[in-house]
Amino acid sequence: MPVIDRRRRRLGIAAQAVFLTLTVAGCSSLGRTAVGPVIYTTDRDAVVEVNSPLVKGCHRLAHGGAKEVANDTLIDIVLYRTPDCTGPGTTYLATTFSDVNPSSAQPWRSFTTVH
């Protein structure tokens, strides 16, 4: 009888693993967020905090753009100089890092998450 119990146990563990995998895959696109804030300073020295942005899509920054950005989320982000997350001159900003633009550079105007 012990052989049958081991087979049932293994079958049960395998079934649970499959169920967990399907659950995670099914929920992965349902409004996942980057846990934590993206904090940036505008050209007029206003501090803006975007809490837990969605991991999908392009996120526009304030009208004048940002001269300093801190990524306090749990995932990395990419900063863009255009409002639609396209074009050259991107900056990769890892989790818990910040970046400051020199005064001669164009401000960042949008960001996407790396997921």
Side-chain angles (χ1 to χ4, degrees):
M1 291 290 182
V3 174
I4 294 174
D5 289 339
R6 284 188 207 151
R7 287 182 186 166
R8 285 184 183 168
R9 182 177 295 151
R10 287 182 186 161
L11 182 60
I13 291 170
Q16 289 174 354
V18 168
F19 179 72
L20 179 62
T21 302
L22 291 174
T23 302
V24 170
C27 295
S28 64
S29 64
L30 298 177
R32 285 188 353 184
T33 62
V35 177
V38 173
I39 304 165
Y40 63 94
T41 306
T42 66
D43 59 343
R44 296 185 179 192
D45 294 324
V47 177
V48 179
E49 186 172 321
V50 180
N51 285 307
S52 299
L54 292 174
V55 296
K56 290 188 174 184
C58 180
H59 303 277
R60 294 182 76 166
L61 301 177
H63 177 65
K67 62 181 182 179
E68 182 176 345
V69 178
N71 179 12
D72 290 335
T73 67
L74 297 179
I75 61 175
D76 300 344
I77 63 174
V78 177
L79 299 166
Y80 296 86
R81 306 238 182 250
T82 60
D84 59 354
C85 298
T86 61
T90 62
T91 300
Y92 189 92
L93 192 57
T95 299
T96 69
F97 278 82
S98 60
D99 198 19
V100 178
N101 252 345
S103 58
S104 61
Q106 294 178 349
W108 294 296
R109 299 193 184 278
S110 60
F111 72 92
T112 58
T113 59
V114 178
H115 58 96

